[in-house]
Amino acid sequence: MTLTETIQNAILESSLGALIVGAIVLFILIAVAIWIYTSLAWATIGKKLKHKNPWLAWIPFARTALVLKLGKFHWALVFLYLIPIIGWAILGVLSIIAHWRIFEIRNYPGWLALIWIIPYAGWLASLIILGFVAWSDRRRK
């Protein structure tokens, strides 16, 4: 291997490393932005539904308890996180039902809670819907 080939390989490897690090940093920034957006949205929904502690939206497991409480479930169901697979599945179903109820309380169709099931675009649509439910006041017809 010549010196030129060695230098080219070193440049290629460092470029690939920089690309990977850049992708990881971008992923972390997007995740933090989504967390801030959803925390603000859930805190706003909590305030509008007159929950006494809407700031719980900023704490990971407490947010789930907040959503369950706003959806008329007992907050202690959050402990289903401790039961792998079965508990998570039950909590997922309860979360969908809680979202459905919250959306209806805020005068939005409950079925919007099912949007995130749509492959690829569903998570983005659910973020948009969450924003509408949080910051747009809709009157019942």
Side-chain angles (χ1 to χ4, degrees):
M1 185 175 259
T2 67
L3 180 60
T4 306
E5 290 173 337
T6 305
I7 292 173
Q8 287 175 343
N9 286 341
I11 291 172
L12 181 62
E13 289 173 3
S14 65
S15 298
L16 184 58
L19 182 65
I20 291 170
V21 169
I24 291 170
V25 168
L26 181 63
F27 174 78
I28 290 171
L29 288 175
I30 290 172
V32 168
I34 290 172
W35 183 261
I36 291 170
Y37 171 79
T38 56
S39 295
L40 286 170
W42 280 113
T44 302
I45 291 170
K47 286 177 191 171
K48 289 186 177 185
L49 296 183
K50 297 180 177 36
H51 190 274
K52 63 181 179 179
N53 298 318
W55 53 267
L56 291 172
W58 292 92
I59 304 169
F61 295 104
R63 177 193 291 185
T64 304
L66 174 69
V67 171
L68 289 171
K69 188 74 174 158
L70 293 175
K72 310 294 186 217
F73 288 110
H74 196 277
W75 66 269
L77 289 169
V78 76
F79 289 110
L80 287 171
Y81 272 129
L82 300 175
I83 304 171
I85 302 170
I86 294 172
W88 302 338
I90 293 169
L91 198 54
V93 170
L94 292 176
S95 179
I96 291 171
I97 295 169
H99 280 77
W100 189 297
R101 291 176 178 173
I102 292 165
F103 289 179
E104 286 182 341
I105 292 168
R106 293 282 301 132
N107 298 323
Y108 284 88
W111 60 265
L112 290 174
L114 302 174
I115 289 292
W116 67 271
I117 296 173
I118 298 171
Y120 305 112
W123 68 271
L124 181 60
S126 68
L127 289 175
I128 294 168
I129 290 167
L130 184 62
F132 275 104
V133 172
W135 294 296
S136 176
D137 291 323
R138 188 167 178 206
R139 293 192 177 121
R140 189 172 292 277
K141 291 183 180 182

